[in-house]
Amino acid sequence: MNPILKSLSIALGERDAGTRQHSDRVIELARALGAHIELSAGELEILCLGACLHDIGKIGIPDRILLKPGSFSPEEREAMHEHSLIGERIVKAIDDERSDELSAIVRHHHENFDGSGYPDALCGTAIPLPARIVSLADNYDAMAACRPYHPGRPHSEIIDLMSGADAEKFDPDLLHAFRHVIEHSPMRVA
């Protein structure tokens, strides 16, 4: 890993250990899904680096929002949505030939397949494939982990949400593959 990328990952952990731990789990889930759909070694490397950095923009979110134990107000939610743009700027500033690919993953990991996501309301395959993979892994882990504002959910409830009410948010082919991968993953919650 590029020393700058490694430093940013460490900086994220120093800023918020929970976010760093979440990113570590997202890396593993994304890697497993990427391997399952037979991404090349180079594509897997970009995917894992993007997963590592997907929340790096949270470094720029004020503590009163980032560490808030309850629901966000509309203004706080809007401020939190800025983390993907802050992260994109941070990653683009890295002197690395992969910066453009990585910054696209960071920027678009909250886009939804149906166009309801942010920051650009991209839909379908206009969303870069690695960002669609990170989105699945990110959503699963966000629901599985205990957060100040919600307890961790059990696996069956997460899969029901991702396959039912939230299904339109995800690439249907990737969601199908993810459901297979997570059933055999050590990252699967009970």
Side-chain angles (χ1 to χ4, degrees):
M1 180 186 289
N2 174 307
I4 296 171
L5 297 174
K6 184 174 181 179
S7 294
L8 286 174
S9 178
I10 291 168
L12 180 61
E14 292 296 324
R15 173 69 167 91
D16 178 31
T19 298
R20 170 63 195 273
Q21 292 163 358
H22 163 70
S23 291
D24 290 345
R25 293 186 301 267
V26 170
I27 292 166
E28 291 310 311
L29 288 169
R31 180 190 332 264
L33 179 54
H36 179 75
I37 64 169
E38 299 180 351
L39 293 182
S40 70
E43 291 167 328
L44 279 172
E45 181 182 10
I46 292 292
L47 173 64
C48 292
L49 289 170
C52 177
L53 297 170
H54 81 280
D55 276 342
I56 194 67
K58 288 185 177 179
I59 287 173
I61 303 300
D63 282 351
R64 66 180 171 72
I65 297 171
L66 183 64
L67 305 175
K68 185 176 179 180
S71 298
F72 294 134
S73 70
E75 296 79 20
E76 291 167 332
R77 184 170 310 287
E78 189 174 318
M80 185 60 106
H81 285 184
E82 289 293 311
H83 83 276
S84 60
L85 299 174
I86 295 167
E88 176 192 35
R89 289 192 298 271
I90 291 169
V91 174
K92 276 193 172 225
I94 299 169
D95 185 20
D96 189 287
E97 68 273 1
R98 301 166 295 186
S99 293
D100 287 341
E101 284 180 278
L102 296 174
S103 65
I105 297 168
V106 171
R107 179 181 180 100
H108 298 300
H109 76 278
H110 282 294
E111 302 285 2
N112 293 333
F113 205 72
D114 66 358
S116 66
Y118 65 89
D120 300 315
L122 297 180
C123 63
T125 57
I127 305 164
L129 176 61
R132 285 181 271 148
I133 293 170
V134 169
S135 174
L136 277 161
D138 184 35
N139 274 272
Y140 183 89
D141 189 70
M143 288 188 268
C146 291
R147 301 280 176 103
Y149 46 87
H150 75 72
R153 292 184 169 113
H155 174 75
S156 61
E157 184 180 335
I158 297 168
I159 293 301
D160 287 348
L161 285 168
M162 290 177 77
S163 301
D166 289 345
E168 61 279 349
K169 290 172 50 175
F170 307 111
D171 177 322
D173 294 330
L174 287 177
L175 178 59
H176 177 76
F178 181 79
R179 289 186 63 178
H180 174 78
V181 167
I182 196 63
E183 290 304 323
H184 307 285
S185 172
M187 303 302 294
R188 181 188 185 277
V189 294

